[in-house]
Amino acid sequence: MTGLYYEEFEVGETITHEKRRTVSESDNQRFCDMTMNQQPLHLDAEFAGETQFGNRLVNGLYTMSLAVGVSIPDTTEGTIVANLSYDNVSHPNPVFHGDTIRAQSTVTDKRETSDGERGVVTMHVEVFKTDGEDETLVCEFDRTALSLKMENAE
């Protein structure tokens, strides 16, 4: 499945991404290793157990990256020129090993580039951990992408 071309994005539209992922201890460990982030709150059970959270937290950048990843097929797969920015990132609640994550993107703005050949699309991405019908917001951010227009796609 391909993503959406600039013309297909509608301001105000919310796209619910069906793909979900249950975050494992291994996911968190590998992400921390790859990014050289050895924060004990993410990796040391004894240390984390003595914090207000009582357990290791999943790296917030992994949570954000996972949300972008699950959103790609529905938004920009094969139709993007570049991601331009990620803004207004917040992590209002923690994610723990074993939590299942889902995301949704709401188109908040779109405009053509000055040459009219492409478009800039901004989406507000919300990330939830889900447990049956209960959902908790764990991350949100604005993602701005440079998108192909249908007439200029190869």
Side-chain angles (χ1 to χ4, degrees):
M1 175 179 175
T2 61
L4 302 174
Y5 289 98
Y6 171 75
E7 297 90 341
E8 297 175 297
F9 285 100
E10 293 183 31
V11 173
E13 169 188 26
T14 297
I15 303 163
T16 301
H17 310 297
E18 296 300 322
K19 189 174 276 192
R20 299 167 186 250
R21 180 161 176 114
T22 300
V23 180
S24 70
E25 179 179 1
S26 176
D27 294 333
N28 189 48
Q29 178 72 53
R30 286 182 299 179
F31 186 85
C32 288
D33 289 346
M34 286 188 298
T35 58
M36 299 177 67
N37 181 340
Q38 298 303 301
Q39 168 58 257
L41 188 57
H42 301 310
L43 302 171
D44 184 330
E46 186 174 324
F47 174 88
E50 295 175 7
T51 69
Q52 70 188 49
F53 304 107
N55 209 336
R56 290 168 290 174
L57 300 182
V58 171
N59 187 308
L61 292 174
Y62 175 74
T63 301
M64 182 178 161
S65 296
L66 180 58
V68 172
V70 301
S71 75
I72 296 296
D74 301 322
T75 59
T76 58
E77 185 174 294
T79 59
I80 191 173
V81 177
N83 279 311
L84 300 177
S85 67
Y86 298 97
D87 300 296
N88 305 314
V89 179
S90 69
H91 300 275
N93 291 291
V95 176
F96 300 101
H97 303 149
D99 285 345
T100 298
I101 300 300
R102 78 160 193 91
Q104 64 187 34
S105 301
T106 301
V107 180
T108 57
D109 190 40
K110 68 183 256 188
R111 63 176 174 78
E112 289 187 342
T113 56
S114 59
D115 63 10
E117 293 186 11
R118 297 173 286 195
V120 176
V121 179
T122 301
M123 295 165 272
H124 183 72
V125 180
E126 295 173 297
V127 189
F128 301 90
K129 64 180 176 182
T130 180
D131 182 18
E133 292 185 24
D134 293 331
E135 293 192 322
T136 304
L137 183 69
V138 295
C139 181
E140 62 183 324
F141 56 93
D142 297 319
R143 174 181 172 223
T144 302
L146 182 59
S147 183
L148 294 172
K149 292 178 80 176
M150 286 181 201
E151 63 197 43
N152 297 321
E154 294 183 27

